[in-house]
């Protein structure tokens, strides 16, 4: 018990990453997953620049292959975003898109394939082979991070039984749901 408005309960989640083990640059990446649902869920399949420990975020670049924000009927929408540091404006920058499944279907109903095609000129996002977003990578120094090696991070939220703040957007997230993930497939360019 932290205060009158905050109650802490146990939660379980995991983060799998290839940092220091395997890096990737360019190619088609397919990740097959069935996502959890419920308020407080935020599974993500993403990548960070290998040089994150030297240049920090967002200078390293970040590619969100898939993010889903759970609760309030949002489990039918996938988000794909790139983050970087824009040197010309001296600000963090991002460019993203999203795709919503037909009414009544969610990303937890069935397995789906979340993909990017990434080369030196662009990153294109797909859900079940349907393109929903593209970002051009020009020759500017601001976007140079996307022409370097990246590693994977998988936020696989298994169980959240809550950090419940009565005044926050969180609500009780029981019953618990799980992220089911198959190994990613990477096709080199």
């Amino acid at each position: 018990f932290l205060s009158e408005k905050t109650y802490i309960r146990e939660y379980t989640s995991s983060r799998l990453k290839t940092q220091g083990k395997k890096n990737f640059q360019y190619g088609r990446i397919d990740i097959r997953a069935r996502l959890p649902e419920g308020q407080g869920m935020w599974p993500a399949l993403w990548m960070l620049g290998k040089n994150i420990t030297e240049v920090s975020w967002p200078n390293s670049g970040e590619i969100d292959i898939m993010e889903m924000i759970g609760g309030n009927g949002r489990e039918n929408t996938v988000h794909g975003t790139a983050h970087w540091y824009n040197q010309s404006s001296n600000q963090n920058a991002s460019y993203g898109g999203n795709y919503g499944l037909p009414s009544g279907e969610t990303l937890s109903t069935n397995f789906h394939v979340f993909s990017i095609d990434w080369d030196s000129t662009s990153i294109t996002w797909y859900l079940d082979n349907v393109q929903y977003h593209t970002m051009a990578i020009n020759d500017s120094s601001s976007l140079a991070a996307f022409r370097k090696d990246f590693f994977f991070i998988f936020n696989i939220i298994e169980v959240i039984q809550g950090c419940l703040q009565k005044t926050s957007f969180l609500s009780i997230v029981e019953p618990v749901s799980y992220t089911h993930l198959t190994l990613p497939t990477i096709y080199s360019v």
Side-chain angles (χ1 to χ4, degrees):
F1 187 73
L2 296 178
S3 72
E4 291 180 19
K5 295 184 179 182
T6 304
Y7 302 91
I8 300 296
R9 295 189 182 164
E10 292 184 25
Y11 64 92
T12 302
S13 67
S14 65
R15 172 183 272 191
L16 307 174
K17 60 184 183 172
T18 65
Q19 184 178 22
K21 295 174 179 45
K22 183 71 177 165
N23 298 304
F24 304 89
Q25 182 185 32
Y26 307 143
R28 166 96 179 196
I29 299 163
D30 292 334
I31 302 170
R32 185 175 177 266
R34 183 165 53 95
L35 302 182
E37 62 183 337
Q39 187 68 31
M41 298 290 148
W42 197 318
L45 309 170
W46 53 302
M47 302 172 76
L48 277 177
K50 172 186 168 184
N51 61 350
I52 182 76
T53 57
E54 291 112 43
V55 300
S56 74
W57 185 92
N59 296 301
S60 63
E62 175 182 326
I63 302 170
D64 299 330
I65 300 168
M66 180 286 305
E67 285 185 293
M68 189 275 306
I69 304 164
N72 297 322
R74 296 176 292 192
E75 289 92 352
N76 70 336
T77 302
V78 62
H79 300 269
T81 310
H83 303 269
W84 69 96
Y85 186 75
N86 187 326
Q87 295 173 351
S88 58
S89 66
N90 291 320
Q91 293 182 325
N92 298 348
S94 64
Y95 183 62
N98 61 66
Y99 180 78
L101 294 172
S103 179
E105 187 178 352
T106 70
L107 295 165
S108 68
T109 306
N110 295 300
F111 276 85
H112 295 275
V113 178
F114 306 91
S115 307
I116 61 168
D117 271 327
W118 173 32
D119 62 30
S120 63
T121 63
S122 67
I123 304 170
T124 302
W125 285 259
Y126 301 87
L127 174 62
D128 296 329
N129 223 23
V130 174
Q131 178 181 330
Y132 69 90
H133 182 56
T134 298
M135 177 179 135
I137 302 172
N138 63 31
D139 289 334
S140 75
S141 58
S142 290
L143 297 176
F146 300 108
R147 294 186 293 275
K148 297 181 180 180
D149 287 351
F150 277 65
F151 63 90
F152 284 113
I153 303 172
F154 304 125
N155 293 352
I156 312 301
I157 300 171
E158 293 177 345
V159 181
I160 296 181
Q161 292 178 336
C163 172
L164 173 61
Q165 292 185 339
K166 291 181 181 175
T167 59
S168 80
F169 70 94
L170 291 177
S171 64
I172 297 173
V173 290
E174 297 178 41
V176 172
S177 65
Y178 300 85
T179 298
H180 302 274
L181 174 72
T182 60
L183 292 176
T185 305
I186 297 119
Y187 305 92
S188 296
V189 184

